[in-house]
Amino acid sequence: MLLPAHLFAAANLAKLTTTSEQELITVTLKEFTIPEDVRLALQEGTPVSFTWSVSIEQVNPYWINEPIGEIIVTREVIPNLISKSWMLIDSATGSITRNTSSLNTALNFLTPLNNFPLLDRALLSESEHYALNCKLLIFKGERDESWWSAYFHFAKTVAQGSFQQP
Amino acid sequence: MKLMARIPPLALTLTLWGVTGIVWGDITVPETSLIALINIGIMGILSLFFLLYSVRSLQNKPMRAGSPLRSKLVIAFMGILLLPTMIIQTSSHQVVEKGLNIWFDVRVDKVMDQALHLAQGFYSRVDHELKQGLISVTSDQVLLNRFSMMPEQFSPLHLRLSELMQQHNWQSIRIYDLNEHLVANVRMTGLAELTPPPLSEQAKLALKIGHTSTELAVIDGSEMAVGYAPLRYNQKIIGVLQAEITLPEGIVNDAKNIEDNYRSYRELERNRQAIGSLFTHIMLFITLSIVLIAGLIAIFFSRKLTAPIDQLASAVHRITEGDLNVIIPASPQDELGALVESFNQMATRLKQNMQALDIAQDHLKQSLNDSQQRQYILERLLANMQSGALLLSDQGHIRLVNQAFQQLSSNHDDWVIGNDIHNLKQHPQLNFILKFFDEMKDQQTQYLQQEVEIMMGKKSQIMLLRGTCLHDQHTPLSKLSGYLILMDNITDLAEAQRHKAWSEVAQRLAHEIKNPLTPIKLAAERLQRRFRTQVDDQKVFDHCTHAIINQTDRLQRLVGDFSSLARIPKPRMDNCTVAAIFTSMQELYETYSRVHIDFPEHELPLYCDFDQIRQIIINLMNNALAATEENLAPINLYATFNHHSINLHILDEGDGIPETLAGKIFEAYISTKADGSGLGLAIAKRIAEDHQGQLQLLSHAKPTHFCLSLPMQTQQMEIPL
């Protein structure tokens, strides 16, 4: 019997590491490789958007983890084949866009989780364990904003991590 | 054959499972997940249907009538449809694969690349020229100085912009300040807009990050190349310059179309596998839908087709269960309709016949009940009859014999229904019945009656036999059907009749004899008193007169006995005890040392005439004393009891009673004594019988044992047994 491929992907998950900077907890995605078909799609002019969903939960050893918070970041790259450039759009910061003629720049733009501010330390309790879970929804082509599209596009867990609040 | 019938649904189930396994992986592909799920669902439903049918057929359970036929029709219909649809499916898959190969041919791929390169080349040239111009203009110090001194230098700024626009052959030039406000707007032709267009994203980028860029756009229906470059004054961005060049008509749209088409083509190429898979799934969906719809239609039509069969089977089942009120609704006018109509006619006739049978059965039951009732009454009558009844066939086979007959014949085991009466020859004591039957047959009389004296054990019994010929009333000639023999034991009746006759004679004789005896005796005594001294021979005279007196006494005693036997009074019943009787005996015979009386340990009450019972005991004791007068053997008197009677026993070791007289000892005039009247035991027996008891001779000698049994009364039941 064939099973969905993502069920086997758990062993290949990337890592999420955290750092405490002043009053913030920042998160960094490591060992994550952008799929080759994304690069190909951008090269061939297909818009690509990445929706990152990073959630943090307080670990309860004998019960369901308690959700603490979640941030969602959406990055979109729209290629322009005529001008050989890629327009970079950060949906979280509104309409700020920029053009780049470098594909690598565009690809790096899609993976923003590098010292990315996650949440205020004041929201965490001392000496508690927390689990991080990162899901990614890759959308190739024009984004389908219809209400039912959510039922056919599922984010996949790509990275996990944990930390203990000192 | 049955196995062959089970293979197709199983094969179809396995095929569907195989296809499900193949398409299972497509659930994870976003482009085909929905249709794959739908297809898997449909295949699941179909495989479940086939599997259920397979399991039911494998279980060998009795199926509902018409169900196998219906299932076979549906399976066959779907199977027939599956084959061509699968061929179509395979063919169309091949066609699509080939079409995709042609569509995404290398030549097409090359053309698309070349078209894109062409568009890119054109744009690159325009971009290069426009950027060169923008760099040149944005580095023009005159322009920058005038812009920096705005708004005082508004007109000179416009003038300089007009010069630069003409110099670079641009269509228009606009300058926006840091606040994205339009500061200057110069056009080659036409008037400037009253409301300037909003700053594009490219312009904002140029303004904010100092990035020079170009783009192709369609403004007011004109296709243009638009460039944006930051204006720097003293190393600071103070505004942005927007320049437009009108391009030949259709160039921009063509370039955009090339880009769109190239993008679409590459997307399709990347999704080539998914497209093929999607097409396959759509075809599979269509195939499955056709099969499913065909199956539903087949079920509908097969149900309609087999409904009369189902109704027929159900109706037959109800008839077998006994429900004859079965009428199947009218069916279409076809062969099945005719069959249904015939069945209805058959059921109606069957119902009528069954009703007639029921009526006949009721009549028969009634007759049987009457017959059984009569037979029961007859049997009860025969069973309760005192007379013995024997019903024989004309050939002499026993048809019926009642209990009384068996008891009278003293042979219970040989009276078996169906036995030939001639088998009774082996029992000599029953020969009188066989003889009577043979005589009846030989004489061919309708009625025959005989009195027969037979010996039963040591007793003589008188049997009255009455025989009647039975004729079958239903046959025209009243054919002889059997014989009915009635038998009665009239020994007691005969004895009673004899006793009655004898009593009458005895009474009359006693009366006639007794009357002259007293004057004779008195006369003899008178003669003795008066003439004894006057006679010559006094000795002879005494002898004669004493003889007359003694014989007269004896005659008087004899007459008294006769009279007593003839007129035994009715017993005056009263309560007494065995001990009381024994006490009176002890007082009476206390002088006889050989008389031993054993008083009972328990008080044995009796309900009797004390004097009469005492008379019996005295009679038996006197007989015993007489019998033991010579050898002085002991005499025992004791009592026993059981549930039914109290028994008084008298035993002596005297001479005993001759065996020849033992059976007649209780008859009158039977005596072993020379001077006995032979009436004592007869009287004793009568008294015992008047008390509902009996007097028996249990042993005629060594010892001579008499037993007087008196019935145990209800109030006597407290005796511990």
Side-chain angles (χ1 to χ4, degrees):
Chain A
M1 186 180 288
L2 299 175
L3 293 172
H6 71 271
L7 293 180
F8 297 101
N12 300 323
L13 287 179
K15 292 178 182 174
L16 277 175
T17 59
T18 56
T19 52
S20 297
E21 292 182 359
Q22 294 177 348
E23 294 302 320
L24 288 175
I25 297 290
T26 60
V27 64
T28 301
L29 180 67
K30 291 182 177 177
E31 300 174 15
F32 176 76
T33 307
I34 290 180
E36 191 58 32
D37 60 331
V38 172
R39 174 184 288 272
L40 188 62
L42 287 175
Q43 279 179 337
E44 293 176 345
T46 302
V48 174
S49 74
F50 276 28
T51 300
W52 298 88
S53 171
V54 181
S55 61
I56 180 170
E57 296 173 337
Q58 185 176 336
V59 176
N60 286 328
Y62 306 109
W63 192 240
I64 301 167
N65 291 347
E66 183 184 354
I68 301 298
E70 183 182 28
I71 59 164
I72 295 173
V73 179
T74 302
R75 292 286 175 93
E76 186 176 8
V77 174
I78 300 173
N80 190 330
L81 290 175
I82 302 298
S83 62
K84 295 183 184 176
S85 63
W86 290 267
M87 185 184 290
L88 314 180
I89 301 171
D90 185 350
S91 299
T93 54
S95 58
I96 294 175
T97 57
R98 62 190 171 99
N99 266 343
T100 180
S101 56
S102 168
L103 179 58
N104 287 333
T105 304
L107 290 171
N108 288 334
F109 175 75
L110 289 170
T111 54
L113 301 182
N114 188 14
N115 283 331
F116 193 87
L118 185 61
L119 79 166
D120 199 319
R121 285 180 62 182
L123 295 172
L124 306 178
S125 304
E126 291 182 0
S127 304
E128 290 289 344
H129 287 274
Y130 293 92
L132 295 167
N133 189 49
C134 178
K135 288 184 177 179
L136 174 61
L137 173 62
I138 299 174
F139 204 97
K140 286 179 275 188
E142 291 184 10
R143 286 181 68 86
D144 187 359
E145 300 295 342
S146 55
W147 60 269
W148 61 82
S149 66
Y151 296 101
F152 300 101
H153 298 92
F154 308 101
K156 296 176 184 176
T157 300
V158 293
Q160 285 179 331
S162 63
F163 68 95
Q164 184 177 15
Q165 177 69 357
Chain B
M1 194 64 190
K2 281 185 176 178
L3 187 65
M4 291 298 289
R6 289 167 190 160
I7 287 174
L10 269 176
L12 285 169
T13 307
L14 293 174
T15 305
L16 285 168
W17 284 356
V19 177
T20 304
I22 291 169
V23 302
W24 186 268
D26 293 341
I27 293 175
T28 56
V29 181
E31 288 81 1
T32 57
S33 59
L34 179 63
I35 190 84
L37 278 172
I38 292 170
N39 284 338
I40 287 170
I42 296 172
M43 286 190 288
I45 292 167
L46 288 171
S47 61
L48 191 66
F49 170 75
F50 291 135
L51 189 65
L52 280 176
Y53 177 76
S54 305
V55 171
R56 281 181 66 188
S57 60
L58 283 172
Q59 282 178 337
N60 278 330
K61 279 188 178 175
M63 298 172 84
R64 198 176 164 190
S67 180
L69 177 62
R70 194 159 53 237
S71 302
K72 282 174 187 171
L73 281 172
V74 173
I75 297 281
F77 198 54
M78 292 169 79
I80 290 167
L81 265 175
L82 261 178
L83 191 65
T85 48
M86 283 176 76
I87 293 170
I88 292 169
Q89 168 87 18
T90 311
S91 310
S92 59
H93 182 74
Q94 296 292 332
V95 169
V96 167
E97 279 293 319
K98 198 154 190 172
L100 285 173
N101 287 337
I102 294 168
W103 193 6
F104 296 108
D105 191 71
V106 178
R107 288 168 292 183
V108 178
D109 202 70
K110 197 171 180 180
V111 167
M112 293 301 291
D113 283 343
Q114 286 173 349
L116 183 63
H117 288 151
L118 192 63
Q120 285 173 339
F122 170 75
Y123 178 79
S124 178
R125 189 172 61 83
V126 172
D127 175 68
H128 179 73
E129 288 177 358
L130 190 55
K131 280 183 177 173
Q132 288 297 321
L134 286 169
I135 291 167
S136 170
V137 171
T138 53
S139 57
D140 185 79
Q141 286 301 317
V142 176
L143 181 68
L144 292 171
N145 289 335
R146 289 179 183 176
F147 180 64
S148 64
M149 294 190 314
M150 281 292 288
E152 290 84 1
Q153 293 293 322
F154 180 76
S155 293
L157 177 65
H158 274 78
L159 188 61
R160 183 57 188 163
L161 283 173
S162 296
E163 289 172 1
L164 290 170
M165 184 177 68
Q166 288 177 357
Q167 182 184 336
H168 291 285
N169 198 21
W170 291 347
Q171 203 62 33
S172 68
I173 294 179
R174 291 191 185 94
I175 293 177
Y176 295 88
D177 63 10
L178 287 174
N179 295 321
E180 300 180 3
H181 293 148
L182 183 63
V183 176
N185 186 2
V186 179
R187 298 174 64 86
M188 185 70 77
T189 57
L191 296 173
E193 305 90 343
L194 288 174
T195 306
L199 207 57
S200 71
E201 295 295 327
Q202 294 276 19
K204 288 178 182 175
L205 277 174
L207 186 62
K208 289 183 178 176
I209 61 175
H211 182 74
T212 300
S213 62
T214 61
E215 63 180 349
L216 296 175
V218 179
I219 301 170
D220 297 334
S222 301
E223 296 175 351
M224 296 180 174
V226 184
Y228 308 95
L231 289 170
R232 287 189 172 87
Y233 187 74
N234 293 335
Q235 303 300 320
K236 288 184 179 176
I237 296 172
I238 57 173
V240 63
L241 178 69
Q242 175 183 328
E244 297 174 355
I245 299 173
T246 303
L247 298 174
E249 193 174 346
I251 289 288
V252 175
N253 281 334
D254 288 344
K256 283 190 174 296
N257 286 337
I258 287 169
E259 185 187 14
D260 290 342
N261 290 332
Y262 183 84
R263 183 188 298 121
S264 300
Y265 176 79
R266 290 300 178 192
E267 278 182 9
L268 289 172
E269 192 179 30
R270 283 200 307 276
N271 295 325
R272 177 180 173 175
Q273 193 70 27
I275 290 168
S277 180
L278 182 65
F279 184 81
T280 305
H281 272 290
I282 289 170
M283 285 303 296
L284 182 62
F285 172 73
I286 292 168
T287 302
L288 292 171
S289 299
I290 288 170
V291 170
L292 193 62
I293 292 166
L296 292 173
I297 292 170
I299 288 170
F300 174 73
F301 279 108
S302 62
R303 276 185 186 280
K304 205 165 183 180
L305 188 67
T306 58
I309 297 171
D310 194 6
Q311 289 174 336
L312 271 171
S314 173
V316 168
H317 180 70
R318 283 175 62 188
I319 286 177
T320 55
E321 293 288 322
D323 181 8
L324 297 177
N325 298 314
V326 178
I327 294 294
I328 302 173
S331 294
Q333 297 298 322
D334 53 10
E335 290 81 358
L336 282 172
L339 182 63
V340 166
E341 194 177 339
S342 300
F343 177 84
N344 284 338
Q345 289 175 358
M346 183 198 74
T348 307
R349 284 182 188 170
L350 189 61
K351 186 181 173 184
Q352 290 169 350
N353 291 338
M354 286 303 292
Q355 284 173 343
L357 274 174
D358 285 342
I359 293 167
Q361 190 179 13
D362 288 343
H363 287 160
L364 278 173
K365 273 184 182 175
Q366 187 64 36
S367 301
L368 185 63
N369 283 338
D370 293 345
S371 174
Q372 284 176 340
Q373 189 72 18
R374 281 197 294 272
Q375 186 180 355
Y376 176 74
I377 291 168
L378 182 62
E379 284 176 357
R380 297 304 302 167
L381 197 63
L382 287 172
N384 292 315
M385 270 176 67
Q386 294 295 325
S387 302
L390 173 66
L391 187 62
L392 297 168
S393 69
D394 55 342
Q395 298 300 321
H397 291 99
I398 298 169
R399 283 182 178 172
L400 187 70
V401 60
N402 73 345
Q403 189 74 18
F405 195 94
Q406 294 181 31
Q407 286 174 351
L408 287 172
S409 61
S410 301
N411 199 323
H412 297 188
D413 298 334
D414 292 317
W415 298 107
V416 179
I417 305 295
N419 272 5
D420 191 346
I421 195 169
H422 294 94
N423 293 337
L424 300 175
K425 282 180 181 174
Q426 55 188 329
H427 302 292
Q429 70 273 23
L430 300 179
N431 277 344
F432 71 98
I433 301 171
L434 187 60
K435 195 176 171 185
F436 179 79
F437 173 68
D438 289 338
E439 193 174 337
M440 206 171 155
K441 278 182 75 176
D442 293 341
Q443 291 183 4
Q444 296 184 345
T445 55
Q446 294 300 312
Y447 182 78
L448 181 64
Q449 179 172 332
Q450 284 183 357
E451 280 186 22
V452 182
E453 186 171 1
I454 58 169
M455 289 300 293
M456 284 195 173
K458 294 175 181 176
K459 291 183 180 178
S460 172
Q461 301 287 333
I462 300 169
M463 297 292 177
L464 174 65
L465 292 169
R466 288 169 290 170
T468 306
C469 292
L470 301 176
H471 294 275
D472 192 352
Q473 295 177 351
H474 298 290
T475 54
L477 297 176
S478 293
K479 185 185 172 186
L480 180 69
S481 63
Y483 301 92
L484 175 64
I485 297 174
L486 299 176
M487 181 165 68
D488 290 287
N489 187 344
I490 59 170
T491 307
D492 294 339
L493 182 63
E495 189 178 351
Q497 284 176 347
R498 278 204 307 273
H499 179 73
K500 188 179 177 185
W502 178 87
S503 295
E504 286 176 3
V505 172
Q507 275 186 313
R508 183 160 293 181
L509 277 173
H511 180 72
E512 294 298 329
I513 293 169
K514 195 175 182 180
N515 286 341
L517 281 180
T518 303
I520 289 170
K521 185 182 176 185
L522 289 173
E525 286 174 347
R526 191 174 175 185
L527 282 172
Q528 197 177 36
R529 278 195 310 272
R530 181 170 282 190
F531 299 106
R532 186 172 179 271
T533 55
Q534 296 175 12
V535 295
D536 297 336
D537 192 347
Q538 193 173 0
K539 189 177 178 183
V540 172
F541 182 80
D542 286 345
H543 177 77
C544 292
T545 52
H546 280 134
I548 292 168
I549 291 166
N550 289 339
Q551 290 304 316
T552 306
D553 286 342
R554 183 170 174 272
L555 280 173
Q556 276 185 325
R557 210 169 49 248
L558 273 171
V559 169
D561 287 346
F562 276 122
S563 183
S564 297
L565 182 61
R567 290 188 304 179
I568 295 172
K570 282 189 177 178
R572 293 188 296 275
M573 307 298 278
D574 199 0
N575 291 320
C576 67
T577 60
V578 172
I581 294 171
F582 280 15
T583 303
S584 69
M585 290 299 108
Q586 193 174 30
E587 290 171 354
L588 194 61
Y589 297 105
E590 61 183 349
T591 56
Y592 295 93
S593 59
R594 63 178 186 275
V595 173
H596 302 284
I597 300 174
D598 293 334
F599 282 81
E601 294 179 0
H602 306 286
E603 186 171 317
L604 302 176
L606 286 171
Y607 186 69
C608 62
D609 187 328
F610 179 84
D611 293 330
Q612 287 188 355
I613 297 302
R614 188 168 171 274
Q615 183 184 344
I616 294 173
I617 303 297
I618 288 170
N619 185 285
L620 294 172
M621 289 295 288
N622 287 341
N623 288 344
L625 285 169
T628 57
E629 206 165 24
E630 292 181 359
N631 60 2
L632 299 175
I635 298 166
N636 293 316
L637 174 63
Y638 62 94
T640 59
F641 59 90
N642 55 33
H643 287 285
H644 310 290
S645 61
I646 291 174
N647 308 308
L648 306 179
H649 302 266
I650 297 98
L651 279 83
D652 69 76
E653 296 288 341
D655 298 334
I657 301 165
E659 192 173 357
T660 52
L661 294 178
K664 303 176 181 177
I665 196 66
F666 294 110
E667 292 183 8
Y669 312 121
I670 302 296
S671 177
T672 57
K673 292 184 288 188
D675 59 344
S677 64
L679 294 174
L681 287 176
I683 292 168
K685 185 174 174 65
R686 281 283 304 278
I687 292 169
E689 287 172 351
D690 286 347
H691 280 77
Q692 307 301 320
Q694 57 180 344
L695 179 60
Q696 295 172 287
L697 174 62
L698 297 182
S699 171
H700 66 91
K702 301 297 178 184
T704 306
H705 186 179
F706 283 93
C707 176
L708 171 63
S709 299
L710 294 171
M712 181 80 81
Q713 298 298 321
T714 309
Q715 60 265 34
Q716 297 171 356
M717 296 304 290
E718 294 177 0
I719 302 167
L721 295 173

